[in-house]
């Protein structure tokens, strides 16, 4: 029984430190979903994060056929607990999404969220830089 608790503790504390300062890119489907507001220009990329996340960079590239949104989350080094903090990264597109595909950096289409994402409490907000190509 003691061994089980030790393994459980290790899995929950490794979380963020495994990715280090270099960051990890969120993957559509396994990590993130998209919500498109009725104006078709505002997109929220929703995910669950950890307490050790320090900042995020969102890169947006629009073409006539696709809108690529890459979200990279940077975390502090050291052990931390992956507690499932709701986060939503907001992007305002230059043009309405329309029939264009909404994809991640690997060209995989984002699944659509069934509900508007909750951004979480203010104490867990992190700085987000949005960069447009």
């Amino acid at each position: 029984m003691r061994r089980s608790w030790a393994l459980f503790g290790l899995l929950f504390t490794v979380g963020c430190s495994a990715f280090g300062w270099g960051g990890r890119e969120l993957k559509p489907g396994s990590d993130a979903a998209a919500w498109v507001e009725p104006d078709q220009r505002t997109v929220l990329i929703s995910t669950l994060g950890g307490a050790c996340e320090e900042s995020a960079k969102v890169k947006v590239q629009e073409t006539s056929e696709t809108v690529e949104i890459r979200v990279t989350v940077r975390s502090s080094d050291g052990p931390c607990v992956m507690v499932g903090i709701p986060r939503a990264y907001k992007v305002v597109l230059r043009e309405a999404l329309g029939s264009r595909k909404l994809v991640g950096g690997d060209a995989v289409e984002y699944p659509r969220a069934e509900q508007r994402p909750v951004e979480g409490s203010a104490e867990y907000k992190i700085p987000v830089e949005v960069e447009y190509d």
Side-chain angles (χ1 to χ4, degrees), residues 21-112:
W21 182 247
R24 72 177 176 101
E25 187 174 323
L26 300 181
K27 302 293 180 195
S30 60
D31 295 331
W35 173 267
V36 180
E37 294 283 8
D39 68 4
Q40 289 283 301
R41 289 191 61 223
T42 306
V43 177
L44 298 171
I45 302 296
S46 64
T47 189
L48 293 176
C52 62
E53 293 172 347
E54 293 183 336
S55 65
K57 181 179 247 185
V58 180
K59 291 186 177 183
V60 182
Q61 185 173 19
E62 294 185 55
T63 70
S64 60
E65 296 180 8
T66 62
V67 173
E68 181 182 289
I69 300 177
R70 290 180 177 215
V71 180
T72 303
V73 179
R74 293 192 176 104
S75 301
S76 61
D77 287 333
C80 87
V81 178
M82 295 294 286
V83 292
I85 299 168
R87 298 199 194 283
Y89 302 101
K90 181 179 178 179
V91 173
V92 178
L93 304 177
R94 291 185 177 119
E95 296 180 29
L97 181 62
S99 63
R100 296 184 292 172
K101 287 187 176 183
L102 188 57
V103 300
D106 51 6
V108 172
E109 197 165 353
Y110 279 99
R112 298 301 170 97

